[in-house]
Amino acid sequence: MTQSNYYHYLFSDFVEVFAKLSECWRKVDKSIADKYHQLAIAERQNYDKELKNYKASLSLDEKSEIEKDKKQKRTEKRKEKRVCPNWQLHALGMPKRPANAYILFSQDYMKKSPDRSPDAYFKESSKLAETWANLPEKEKSKWEELAASHAKEYKKKLAEWESEMTSKGHLEVVHTKGKDKGAKV
């Protein structure tokens, strides 16, 4: 077994392992569970005492250096987390993602529907899904081609928008979106 396979094997059922552990923990006798809780409390108290002794042994220069490092890490974290919400990106002119074939079909279907109330979409959604599933391949391919042309147009507009944002100095917007949505970085 290679190392990468080993790690995949080791972490593939991570959630399942924790689920089984928590299930076993719920079945543990209360006296045994209390014993482990007392051990955890004692370990935490020991840790707190050691930390207090360590902080007391630091000089003022060391304390200020540690505080400076903490502040720097916090500001770096804030910068990393700076993700523009979609409304801000659209306010900057980012094009909206294109609709897929099913959505285009459903929009057309609802336009032809006699009941155009907002609730009609939810009422007829199962009928709509069934109609889409039973649609002939030739008809579906028409909608898929339309969706593909919308996607091509979207990619073109997105590339233009990204180059515009880059020229204006909004690199964080382009890079952040690229990491999140798979757009070019």
Side-chain angles (χ1 to χ4, degrees), residues 44 46-57:
R44 181 61 194 210
N46 188 29
Y47 168 77
D48 289 341
K49 189 188 302 181
E50 287 180 17
L51 184 62
K52 187 176 180 181
N53 290 339
Y54 169 73
K55 285 182 176 180
S57 70

Side-chain angles (χ1 to χ4, degrees), residues 84-95:
C84 290
N86 281 340
W87 67 269
Q88 285 181 339
L89 293 172
H90 292 301
L92 289 171
M94 181 182 173

Side-chain angles (χ1 to χ4, degrees), residues 107-183:
Q107 289 170 346
D108 186 60
Y109 183 87
M110 292 311 291
K111 282 179 186 174
K112 294 175 183 175
S113 174
D115 184 11
R116 291 194 178 177
S117 68
D119 297 330
Y121 183 82
F122 296 107
K123 290 176 186 173
E124 295 193 27
S125 61
S126 61
K127 185 178 173 185
L128 177 66
E130 188 179 315
T131 306
W132 174 255
N134 295 331
L135 206 63
E137 283 301 315
K138 189 175 182 181
E139 189 72 21
K140 269 189 187 178
S141 66
K142 177 184 111 177
W143 293 107
E144 288 167 355
E145 287 173 15
L146 185 61
S149 70
H150 283 234
K152 189 183 254 186
E153 187 179 319
Y154 166 76
K155 285 181 182 178
K156 181 181 167 192
K157 286 181 180 177
L158 185 64
E160 290 171 3
W161 178 79
E162 285 177 340
S163 64
E164 182 185 334
M165 290 296 108
T166 304
S167 66
K168 288 182 177 179
H170 292 295
L171 291 174
E172 75 284 351
V173 174
V174 175
H175 290 281
T176 319
K177 259 336 243 188
K179 288 177 191 169
D180 290 347
K181 298 291 183 183

Side-chain angles (χ1 to χ4, degrees), residues 34-78:
D34 288 341
K35 180 178 150 186
Y36 281 109
H37 281 295
Q38 292 304 320
L39 281 171
I41 291 169
E43 283 291 322
R44 181 61 194 210
Q45 289 171 345
N46 188 29
Y47 168 77
D48 289 341
K49 189 188 302 181
E50 287 180 17
L51 184 62
K52 187 176 180 181
N53 290 339
Y54 169 73
K55 285 182 176 180
S57 70
L58 293 174
S59 68
L60 289 176
D61 292 336
E62 290 171 327
K63 287 180 182 179
S64 65
E65 189 65 32
I66 289 172
E67 212 39 56
K68 200 184 295 182
D69 285 345
K70 282 183 180 180
K71 280 184 180 180
Q72 183 180 0
K73 286 180 182 177
R74 279 194 296 259
T75 54
E76 286 173 5
K77 251 187 180 176
R78 278 190 213 120

